[in-house]
Amino acid sequence: MPSKSPLSGGRRIQTRRSDVHGNGVFAVQDLAEGETLIEYKGQVISWKEALRRHPHDPAQPNHTFYFHIDDGRVIDGNVEGNAARWINHSCEPNCEADEVDGRVYIKALRNIAAGEELNYDYGLVIDEPYTEKLLSEFPCWCGSEQCRSTLLTPKDEDEEKDKKKKKKAKKKAEKKKAEAKEAKKAEKKAEKKKADKKADKKKADGKKKSEKSSKDDTPAAAGD
């Protein structure tokens, strides 16, 4: 089911200027986690047509109102769209986009207080290497603690690289820990060997002293 509650039932959200970027959509009343807040509406077109229409704004070529449905279709929120197209991106969102049978609904990920701006992770992915220049062309201004500074989502290969990097770092740390453990073990062994040697020496010295004492206490033979 796309909604936990009906889309109607009084004004719950409104569009106004945002401190994040341009226009934004805000909660007018408290919204509950799981509520479907609005459907992302617009003309459903092919990607070929989307590329023909691009860009919506020549001054901001990377800013569009397209919402990807699948490899063959996209929603153009700039044509026959609604307020959903003004919902800004956040790397730590309070909403999510849920696609159901080719329709997209914006749902609350958590309880949202009246006055809060709605946002969701755009999840943008571009099929080319993520260079510093490319990342800077899609800046993020959400300001959250989790902000990745770009609207672009890490690709699978980037995530795989991160996993490999973490795995390598973990393996290195484990190796270092094992080496430290072995070094400590060797140190204890050396200390024990030193202590045993000292004890043996003490024992030997005691034995020599005892033998000497016994010799000194032996009485001289008669007639000497």
Side-chain angles (χ1 to χ4, degrees):
M1 292 294 290
S3 177
K4 185 177 177 180
S5 58
L7 290 172
S8 58
R11 190 181 187 190
R12 298 183 298 160
I13 59 176
Q14 68 175 186
T15 302
R16 62 172 187 261
R17 294 299 293 175
S18 167
D19 290 335
V20 176
H21 179 256
N23 290 324
V25 178
F26 296 78
V28 174
Q29 56 183 264
D30 292 344
L31 305 171
E33 177 184 348
E35 279 192 59
T36 295
L37 309 177
I38 190 171
E39 179 180 357
Y40 194 101
K41 290 187 175 181
Q43 191 176 65
V44 179
I45 57 176
S46 67
W47 274 106
K48 184 178 180 180
E49 175 60 17
L51 290 172
R52 188 192 70 78
R53 294 182 183 184
H54 184 76
H56 285 146
D57 180 2
Q60 300 181 75
N62 295 323
H63 181 259
T64 73
F65 295 109
Y66 292 146
F67 200 109
H68 171 272
I69 301 175
D70 52 40
D71 291 339
R73 299 173 300 162
V74 59
I75 299 173
D76 185 356
N78 198 46
V79 179
E80 301 172 13
N82 60 356
R85 71 183 186 272
W86 299 116
I87 299 177
N88 280 312
H89 162 89
S90 176
C91 299
E92 194 174 0
N94 54 21
C95 294
E96 65 177 345
D98 184 25
E99 189 269 321
V100 180
D101 297 328
R103 299 174 71 176
V104 177
Y105 300 89
I106 307 302
K107 299 169 64 176
L109 279 173
R110 59 170 174 78
N111 293 334
I112 302 172
E116 273 193 75
E117 181 172 1
L118 308 185
N119 46 60
Y120 63 92
D121 190 333
Y122 286 1
L124 296 182
V125 177
I126 292 181
D127 190 22
E128 59 181 274
Y130 280 8
T131 62
E132 290 297 323
K133 183 177 183 298
L134 182 64
L135 293 172
S136 67
E137 289 175 0
F138 295 85
C140 173
W141 299 291
C142 73
S144 73
E145 291 182 2
Q146 305 296 323
C147 185
R148 52 183 181 260
S149 302
T150 180
L151 301 180
L152 299 179
T153 298
K155 296 181 184 178
D156 291 340
E157 57 262 34
D158 292 329
E159 292 176 354
E160 193 61 33
K161 283 180 183 177
D162 287 340
K163 284 180 183 177
K164 286 182 179 179
K165 192 175 179 181
K166 287 178 181 177
K167 191 175 180 180
K168 190 176 179 180
K170 186 180 179 182
K171 195 174 180 180
K172 190 176 179 181
E174 286 175 349
K175 186 181 178 182
K176 194 173 180 181
K177 189 178 179 181
E179 287 173 349
K181 191 176 180 180
E182 285 299 318
K184 195 172 182 180
K185 192 176 178 181
E187 188 180 346
K188 282 185 177 180
K189 191 175 180 180
E191 286 176 356
K192 187 177 184 300
K193 191 175 180 181
K194 188 177 179 181
D196 289 345
K197 192 175 180 181
K198 191 175 180 181
D200 289 342
K201 188 176 182 298
K202 190 175 180 181
K203 189 177 180 181
D205 289 345
K207 189 177 180 182
K208 283 181 182 179
K209 190 176 180 181
S210 178
E211 287 175 351
K212 186 180 179 183
S213 178
S214 296
K215 192 176 181 180
D216 291 343
D217 293 342
T218 302
D224 286 349

